[in-house]
Amino acid sequence: FGLLTSPPKNLILTFCKGRIVRVPKSPLIRVEGTETVIPCSVTDYDGPSEQNFDWEFSQGTDFVRIVSTWDLSFTSQQYQKRVGSGEIVLRRSSNNAVELLIKSIQPVDEGEYKCITPSTDATVQGNYDATVQVKVIADGLTVNGSTAQSSKPRKMSEGDSFELRCSASTISSEHTHLQVTWELKNGPAWQEILSLTHEGKFQPSPKYEERYLSGDVRLDTVANDIYRLSVSQALPMDEGLYRCLVSEWVKGADSSWQKIQEKNVEVASVVIQQTTLPNNVSVTERDSLDLTCNMTTDRSGIFQAQVTWYFSESHDDTLSDAQFLLSVDRDSVVSYSPLISLSHVDRNSYHLLMRDVGVEDSGYYFCQAAIWVPQHNGSWHKVVEKTSSPVSVMVTALELDYQIVLNASKTPKFSDDPTQLECRIMNAQNTEANVRFTVSWYYRMRLRSDAVVTDELLATMDADWTLLVGDKSRERTQNGEIIFSKQAVDTFSLRIQWTSEADRGDYYCVVSAWGWHHNNNNWVKIKDVTSMLVSVFWATQDYTLTVEAVKLKPFFVAGHTFEMTCKVSSQNIKTPRYSVLITAEKPLTDQSNPNGTTRIISLNQDSVVRLEDWTDQTRVDGVVLEKVQENEFRYRMYQTQVSDAGLYRCVVTAWSPGGGGMWREAVNGLSNPIQIDFQTSGPVFNVSMHSDNPTVYQGELADLLCIVTIDRAALEPDDMSFDVSWFAVHSFALDRAPVLLASLDRKGIVTQPRRNWSSDVSLERISPMEFRLRVHGSEDQDFGNHYCSVTPWVRSATGVWQREPEIKSKPIFISVKVDVLNALKYPLLIGIGLATIIGLLSCLIGYCSSRWCCKKEVQETRRERRRLMSMEMD
């Protein structure tokens, strides 16, 4: 809440800050039957920005609930009908302000209105309601117009004067002021003319301010209740329906004026008959164009004429769209124009002379004449203005003649070839220095005979030779793929750097001739000539690629060099380049590559060599692929091994140059297979696996033997060596991936991967052809199928080590059991010991408690000893 004193102007002293609810100062004076709005707002509050409001009403007794913003059941029964019908409405103007609207206030609504805001503050500070007194007075305003004037239109001539009257009075019980406003309607809306405000001031509208200051439009009072509008020198804009708008104002408690009601009455309809201005305009076609503007008027006395000439390209253009040519004002001053002159022949005739007219001067010409008369204050007033009918002028000029020839200087034979079209101007006649040529390029797609042909704009030039690119070619033009140029004065060219199949179709050019328009100082299009169609098309054929592989040495043995060539031939491919990939298809018995095909080495179209899946580190330089000729490639493999046996092929990809220096893949080809097969009667190796005890207990040692045997031929131990690897599949079935346990290469190097459990493995060679794997401290994770993989290496007679195919043994299932006795021995001993200790401790605690803690004196009650009497003595 705030404490307000009587401070100076614009000064408010606030000692406490809190919620402030505001309503207008009392009393609010309203007229019976009018719409009443009572605003209410709240400031300096806590909580959400949107506040709720309740309105209550009282006539000196208890307050009655009217309406609420948040509680639909707030309205009392006596207001439910008026609130439900919309006669009383509570509308929100902002988050912290509402308005109580009573559409037709009645005397029963006079009383005290209270605006209440429910608290959303953390602490109670300020005022949460405010009241305002509403006073309803009777309607005492009367507004009347002349019935005789408003019954039929009043007709008068342009320049005449007229008066309109209306009466307005009030018998209000309050001290009120009236405001009278005259309004005119000659369109869709009413427009204000002149007002006498409630403060006794005259206020013209901006449109009538000049005429009000000159005295042509006045408002004065006749007697006490009559308000008269006087108009002198009537203009066409004064035609329409007039009404008198009267509003009643009262000074409120805050000393501001408030409008309490408003009434209007239509007074008269005024028709202004304009002064006739006949037109007699003639035109003559010759090198110089001479037009005459004749005007006649029935006005006598002193007046001056003002004439303005206009030009329009269309008959339907309005005056605002027309082009100004020349004018002479009422003081006979002619505006300047270098090519047009205006002469005053007599009082009512004006001549327009245009020299060196051209085709661009063809169009519609008209003149506008205005008559000015002097006024009593020495100023001039325009009383009438008239526009002549347009006269069509056709200027015949020498015909500009030229032909267009379009030819293709470069045509594509393949995709990505360049295309160049030249559009040439031929046999040009009657072309002068003020004529220039521009070109537009169009593309037409080839469609079926029954399809609609659509033309796409590729690019066009405007009169300033500025290139405007179409949507189809915008991106490619910005990238430099399409070039539009002007090679000579009479030659335009279109070049497609890399023609694609989407560019196939018909092309044509349109050459436009432009002439200089002297009046507008710009270029005007004179003529368009279209060329014949030029077809850009080439037959597309399927690419063909043939690859032939040849083995250069028909017979060789292991350890020698394998050599083969791949010869490539292609058709319908423009300047092809080839990339080559050498693949090998190994026998299905080769376990090193279960997929069958191995990518060995490749050479791309830029002659860059790359090793693909060649993983033999001992023979990194053992394979070579080189380019012998443009279409011939040679593959060599040094020191061949028995494991290299298989089918070798050349996979060739043909590439053609694409746009922007890039290569585009055209087609792939596969050669015939070349077989490497070593016919030998050498040894045959076998491998088996053995274990004396395939079932072990946890913590015990598990022994696995891998035994290699040889058939057919006997070899010295120094002429053979083995790569041995041990694997385990931790499942009963072989349905999981094998896990490498350890490996021993032919040089005696042991490799053991990291293990995730505590058991350990060791690998040793116990004889030239026997290998043993030991699992120390076996655990549950060591169970499963175990097998060994052996790769034999044999030294040939030439001293070269040959790698034999990898062989695998059959798996042995190792099971790991738990020794129940040993597993439970220590837990049982620990349990018995703990139970014994706990029992002895319990006995000791019980004895001590009974001995010292729970001892008490027990006194026995004395019993009398009596003998039982016999039943017979009873």
Side-chain angles (χ1 to χ4, degrees):
F1 59 92
L3 178 61
L4 302 180
T5 62
S6 299
K9 187 177 182 181
N10 299 330
L11 179 62
I12 298 177
L13 299 178
T14 304
F15 295 93
C16 298
K17 182 179 179 181
R19 177 184 291 255
I20 300 176
V21 180
R22 292 186 176 91
V23 293
K25 289 186 178 181
S26 299
L28 286 181
I29 300 175
R30 294 295 182 263
V31 179
E32 179 183 354
T34 60
E35 183 178 271
T36 300
V37 177
I38 308 175
C40 178
S41 63
V42 59
T43 57
D44 300 334
Y45 57 86
D46 297 334
S49 60
E50 184 175 280
Q51 294 288 298
N52 288 308
F53 296 84
D54 299 334
W55 281 92
E56 296 181 354
F57 173 71
S58 173
Q59 289 183 332
T61 57
D62 295 337
F63 280 91
V64 181
R65 294 175 295 178
I66 304 176
V67 68
S68 172
T69 59
W70 61 284
D71 189 0
L72 298 179
S73 61
F74 180 81
T75 305
S76 63
Q77 185 176 1
Q78 69 181 79
Y79 279 99
Q80 286 181 357
K81 183 177 180 181
R82 298 180 67 183
V83 173
S85 64
E87 183 182 349
I88 298 179
V89 178
L90 181 58
R91 60 189 182 191
R92 183 181 292 276
S93 55
S94 65
N95 286 338
N96 63 331
V98 295
E99 294 178 343
L100 179 64
L101 171 65
I102 304 175
K103 293 187 177 180
S104 179
I105 196 166
Q106 301 298 324
V108 295
D109 297 322
E110 181 175 296
E112 188 176 12
Y113 289 82
K114 181 191 291 187
C115 177
I116 307 171
T117 60
S119 175
T120 59
D121 303 328
T123 59
V124 178
Q125 291 183 353
N127 64 314
Y128 290 83
D129 60 72
T131 59
V132 58
Q133 185 72 30
V134 177
K135 182 178 181 181
V136 181
I137 63 176
D139 183 6
L141 178 62
T142 303
V143 179
N144 293 314
S146 176
T147 307
Q149 290 179 338
S150 60
S151 60
K152 60 181 180 179
R154 296 180 58 180
K155 296 182 180 180
M156 56 195 65
S157 300
E158 184 177 357
D160 293 344
S161 301
F162 65 91
E163 294 180 354
L164 300 176
R165 300 186 181 189
C166 79
S167 63
S169 61
T170 180
I171 55 173
S172 174
S173 59
E174 298 292 327
H175 179 68
T176 59
H177 288 190
L178 298 182
Q179 175 174 314
V180 179
T181 302
W182 282 94
E183 293 182 338
L184 170 64
K185 183 177 182 181
N186 52 16
W190 291 95
Q191 54 182 344
E192 184 178 335
I193 302 175
L194 184 60
S195 299
L196 177 60
T197 67
H198 56 277
E199 295 178 332
K201 299 178 181 179
F202 289 100
Q203 183 177 337
S205 67
K207 188 175 181 180
Y208 287 86
E209 185 173 2
E210 182 178 354
R211 298 177 67 186
Y212 169 75
L213 296 176
S214 64
D216 289 343
V217 177
R218 303 186 308 275
L219 174 60
D220 50 11
T221 59
V222 181
N224 293 329
D225 299 336
I226 304 299
Y227 297 87
R228 179 178 61 190
L229 175 68
S230 302
V231 179
S232 302
Q233 302 292 339
L235 300 177
M237 60 177 291
D238 297 326
E239 181 175 294
L241 180 61
Y242 287 79
R243 77 174 181 181
C244 180
L245 180 67
V246 180
S247 57
E248 189 172 8
W249 296 71
V250 67
K251 183 172 288 190
D254 56 355
S255 298
S256 64
W257 287 97
Q258 300 175 7
K259 183 169 65 173
I260 57 176
Q261 70 168 325
E262 184 178 80
K263 293 183 180 181
N264 67 82
V265 61
E266 295 181 358
V267 177
S269 178
V270 177
V271 177
I272 306 297
Q273 297 177 348
Q274 302 182 18
T275 304
T276 58
L277 184 63
N279 294 313
N280 185 12
V281 180
S282 62
V283 62
T284 304
E285 292 184 1
R286 53 180 182 266
D287 293 339
S288 295
L289 178 63
D290 187 6
L291 299 176
T292 303
C293 181
N294 297 323
M295 63 178 183
T296 58
T297 179
D298 55 359
R299 179 172 292 276
S300 60
I302 300 175
F303 70 91
Q304 293 290 345
Q306 175 183 342
V307 178
T308 306
W309 284 91
Y310 294 94
F311 167 77
S312 175
E313 295 182 354
S314 174
H315 183 275
D316 298 329
D317 285 350
T318 60
L319 183 62
S320 59
D321 299 328
Q323 176 187 350
F324 169 79
L325 295 179
L326 208 62
S327 69
V328 55
D329 61 10
R330 65 174 182 268
D331 297 326
S332 299
V333 178
V334 181
S335 60
Y336 171 76
S337 177
L339 300 176
I340 307 175
S341 61
L342 184 63
S343 60
H344 191 184
V345 179
D346 54 33
R347 184 178 178 87
N348 296 325
S349 298
Y350 295 84
H351 282 264
L352 176 71
L353 181 63
M354 297 181 60
R355 300 178 181 88
D356 298 330
V357 295
V359 177
E360 67 275 6
D361 296 319
S362 298
Y364 297 89
Y365 292 79
F366 56 93
C367 65
Q368 185 182 60
I371 295 178
W372 294 75
V373 297
Q375 299 190 33
H376 54 82
N377 58 0
S379 62
W380 288 85
H381 173 65
K382 182 166 57 176
V383 296
V384 65
E385 188 175 58
K386 188 69 175 179
T387 303
S388 69
S389 300
V391 175
S392 176
V393 176
M394 176 63 69
V395 178
T396 303
L398 295 175
E399 180 67 21
L400 180 64
D401 188 19
Y402 58 94
Q403 298 177 357
I404 302 300
V405 177
L406 178 64
N407 54 38
S409 57
K410 290 184 180 180
T411 56
K413 296 181 180 179
F414 297 95
S415 179
D416 298 325
D417 279 357
T419 300
Q420 184 161 343
L421 305 177
E422 293 182 353
C423 185
R424 190 181 300 273
I425 305 172
M426 306 289 292
N427 303 326
Q429 298 179 2
N430 299 325
T431 58
E432 302 175 359
N434 59 348
V435 175
R436 60 173 50 175
F437 296 96
T438 61
V439 69
S440 300
W441 291 96
Y442 291 89
Y443 164 78
R444 180 180 297 173
M445 183 184 297
R446 285 191 172 185
L447 302 174
R448 302 187 306 271
S449 58
D450 57 344
V452 178
V453 178
T454 58
D455 296 341
E456 293 188 54
L457 175 66
L458 300 179
T460 184
M461 289 182 179
D462 60 10
D464 296 328
W465 289 323
T466 301
L467 184 66
L468 304 176
V469 185
D471 296 336
K472 176 180 175 62
S473 57
R474 177 174 291 109
E475 182 177 356
R476 298 178 66 186
T477 302
Q478 294 174 352
N479 297 335
E481 300 179 19
I482 300 180
I483 301 174
F484 302 94
S485 62
K486 183 179 181 182
Q487 295 182 343
V489 177
D490 59 348
T491 305
F492 303 91
S493 69
L494 163 63
R495 180 180 177 86
I496 304 177
Q497 298 285 68
W498 302 282
T499 310
S500 63
E501 294 184 2
D503 297 324
R504 295 190 301 176
D506 297 328
Y507 293 80
Y508 67 92
C509 63
V510 177
V511 175
S512 304
W514 299 76
W516 182 254
H517 197 294
H518 298 285
N519 296 336
N520 297 334
N521 291 327
N522 61 1
W523 291 95
V524 179
K525 185 182 292 186
I526 302 175
K527 188 177 182 180
D528 286 335
V529 177
T530 304
S531 70
M532 300 294 292
L533 295 176
V534 171
S535 178
V536 176
F537 187 79
W538 66 92
T540 58
Q541 297 180 359
D542 294 336
Y543 299 138
T544 58
L545 183 67
T546 304
V547 184
E548 180 183 5
V550 179
K551 182 164 57 172
L552 300 182
K553 295 180 180 180
F555 302 101
F556 69 97
V557 296
H560 287 185
T561 300
F562 168 73
E563 186 174 0
M564 75 174 185
T565 60
C566 298
K567 295 183 178 180
V568 184
S569 61
S570 61
Q571 293 181 356
N572 304 325
I573 304 177
K574 174 192 172 184
T575 59
R577 284 192 183 182
Y578 306 103
S579 61
V580 181
L581 171 66
I582 303 299
T583 63
E585 298 179 12
K586 299 299 184 67
L588 297 178
T589 57
D590 187 0
Q591 301 296 329
S592 63
N593 186 14
N595 295 327
T597 302
T598 303
R599 297 158 54 93
I600 300 177
I601 190 172
S602 65
L603 184 145
N604 66 7
Q605 67 271 18
D606 295 324
S607 300
V608 178
V609 179
R610 175 185 174 186
L611 285 176
E612 298 292 340
D613 299 334
W614 184 262
T615 58
D616 193 346
Q617 300 297 325
T618 61
R619 293 193 299 161
V620 175
D621 299 329
V623 290
V624 176
L625 178 60
E626 56 186 351
K627 184 177 181 180
V628 181
Q629 297 180 5
E630 190 64 33
N631 61 341
E632 184 177 353
F633 304 87
R634 180 168 54 202
Y635 169 67
R636 289 176 179 170
M637 183 167 54
Y638 301 100
Q639 296 182 356
T640 55
Q641 306 288 334
V642 176
S643 59
D644 296 328
L647 299 177
Y648 288 76
R649 300 176 186 268
C650 297
V651 180
V652 179
T653 302
W655 302 80
S656 63
M662 305 297 292
W663 289 97
R664 181 171 57 87
E665 182 178 343
V667 65
N668 296 319
L670 184 65
S671 72
N672 55 297
I674 300 297
Q675 184 175 14
I676 297 179
D677 187 12
F678 298 97
Q679 301 293 335
T680 177
S681 58
V684 176
F685 293 93
N686 298 310
V687 62
S688 60
M689 200 168 173
H690 175 71
S691 177
D692 292 334
N693 188 12
T695 301
V696 296
Y697 289 95
Q698 285 185 351
E700 291 185 351
L701 177 68
D703 281 347
L704 299 174
L705 292 179
C706 183
I707 303 173
V708 182
T709 59
I710 185 171
D711 296 336
R712 292 188 183 177
L715 295 177
E716 294 295 331
D718 294 338
D719 293 335
M720 57 182 177
S721 63
F722 304 95
D723 291 336
V724 181
S725 299
W726 294 83
F727 296 91
V729 180
H730 298 298
S731 66
F732 293 97
L734 298 175
D735 55 352
R736 295 186 182 179
V739 178
L740 176 64
L741 301 179
S743 64
L744 175 69
D745 63 8
R746 59 192 179 98
K747 297 179 181 180
I749 299 176
V750 177
T751 303
Q752 181 178 351
R754 184 176 178 180
R755 299 173 63 83
N756 296 327
W757 52 91
S758 61
S759 64
D760 196 5
V761 297
S762 62
L763 181 61
E764 59 181 339
R765 179 179 178 180
I766 59 178
S767 69
M769 302 183 70
E770 292 185 357
F771 303 88
R772 178 167 60 192
L773 176 71
R774 287 183 173 180
V775 181
H776 303 274
S778 301
E779 293 186 0
D780 293 340
Q781 293 88 340
D782 294 317
F783 91 101
N785 292 280
H786 293 66
Y787 67 90
C788 63
S789 173
V790 178
T791 302
W793 291 79
V794 179
R795 183 160 55 186
S796 64
T798 58
V800 178
W801 286 94
Q802 298 290 329
R803 181 179 177 178
E804 298 292 331
E806 181 184 5
I807 53 179
K808 294 181 181 179
S809 69
K810 292 184 178 181
I812 291 181
F813 187 82
I814 300 298
S815 60
V816 180
K817 295 184 178 181
V818 179
D819 191 348
V820 179
L821 181 60
N822 290 332
L824 298 179
K825 178 172 61 177
Y826 291 106
L828 287 175
L829 292 176
I830 293 172
I832 293 172
L834 290 175
T836 303
I837 294 172
I838 292 172
L840 293 176
L841 183 61
S842 300
C843 293
L844 180 61
I845 293 173
Y847 175 76
C848 294
S849 299
S850 61
R851 182 71 177 171
W852 290 287
C853 299
C854 300
K855 183 178 181 182
K856 32 183 172 171
E857 296 291 335
V858 180
Q859 295 183 0
E860 297 180 357
T861 56
R862 187 175 180 179
R863 299 180 180 177
E864 296 182 359
R865 295 183 178 180
R866 295 181 181 181
R867 295 183 178 181
L868 298 177
M869 291 184 298
S870 62
M871 295 181 63
E872 293 150 352
M873 294 179 64
D874 186 7

